[in-house]
Amino acid sequence: MAVEKVKKYFEGTGIKVIELPESSATVELAAHALETEPDQIAKTLSYLVEDQPILIVMAGMARVDNRKYKDTFHKKASMIKAEDVERYIGHAPGGVCPFAINAGVKVYLDESLKRHEFVYPAAGSSNSAVKLSISELEKYAGVHEWVDVTKEES
C-alpha cells in the first residue's frame, strides 16, 4: 500500500503520517478532515510533459493558469488520465503526493504554497496527510524547481 511506502519514506525524520478515519481525497474533504482551511491543503496534480510524468504541488484553492503553464513547460497542460496515474506516479488518485514516487518523476512546487506557513499534502492514500512547513515540503519532496503556474487570486 502506498501509504506504507510514504511512512517508510519519512522514517527517522520525526514527521508523522496522519491517517484519517474519513476520506481526504479532495481539497474540501481533506480540509474538513484536518480541520484547516482548504487553501492549506497542498494538492498534487500529475501531468505529462513530452511523455514524462511530472507533479505540480500547489495551494488547495489555486487553479492552473494555462498560459503560465505553457510559458513554463512550453506545451499545453495535459493531465495524466486517472486510470494511468498510479502507473506513472506510484500513487493512486486521491493519495497522490510528492513522496515515495516512481523514479524519474520531477516535482515542481508552485509559488501559491508560499502564502502559508504549513501545508498538508496527501501521504499516499485517500485518507492520509502530513503537516509540513514550506521548507520541509521543499526538502522532502525532492523538488526540481519552483514554478508560477497558477492564476492570480482575485
Side-chain angles (χ1 to χ4, degrees):
M1 188 177 219
V3 72
E4 296 305 321
K5 287 192 322 188
V6 174
K7 284 180 181 178
K8 186 173 174 132
Y9 183 83
F10 282 114
E11 225 169 61
T13 66
I15 293 169
K16 301 282 182 236
V17 171
I18 303 162
E19 291 191 83
L20 301 157
E22 56 196 291
S23 177
S24 59
T26 67
V27 168
E28 292 75 17
L29 290 172
H32 181 266
L34 293 161
E35 298 178 351
T36 191
E37 295 299 316
D39 204 54
Q40 281 190 275
I41 303 304
K43 65 182 174 186
T44 305
L45 303 180
S46 44
Y47 293 90
L48 284 176
V49 175
E50 305 300 331
D51 296 323
Q52 292 298 308
I54 68 165
L55 294 176
I56 302 175
V57 186
M58 62 186 67
M61 298 308 290
R63 299 288 174 256
V64 171
D65 180 313
N66 289 321
R67 186 170 128 52
K68 285 181 172 182
Y69 182 99
K70 190 170 184 178
D71 288 348
T72 301
F73 295 104
H74 312 292
K75 70 175 296 218
K76 187 178 173 204
S78 174
M79 289 192 79
I80 298 174
K81 289 180 175 70
E83 62 269 17
D84 295 330
V85 170
E86 190 167 9
R87 177 172 55 89
Y88 276 113
I89 306 300
H91 300 300
V96 175
C97 63
F99 321 112
I101 56 177
N102 291 344
V105 177
K106 288 183 179 172
V107 176
Y108 296 85
L109 298 183
D110 184 75
E111 294 286 328
S112 61
L113 294 163
K114 290 182 175 177
R115 54 186 180 233
H116 301 292
E117 185 179 352
F118 291 95
V119 291
Y120 296 86
S125 71
S126 62
N127 67 325
S128 64
V130 289
K131 180 180 181 180
L132 299 173
S133 68
I134 299 306
S135 62
E136 288 171 328
L137 175 62
E138 189 173 31
K139 176 182 177 180
Y140 293 112
V143 175
H144 180 69
E145 74 181 83
W146 281 88
V147 293
D148 179 8
V149 297
T150 55
K151 295 178 182 179
E152 299 297 321
E153 287 189 76
S154 42

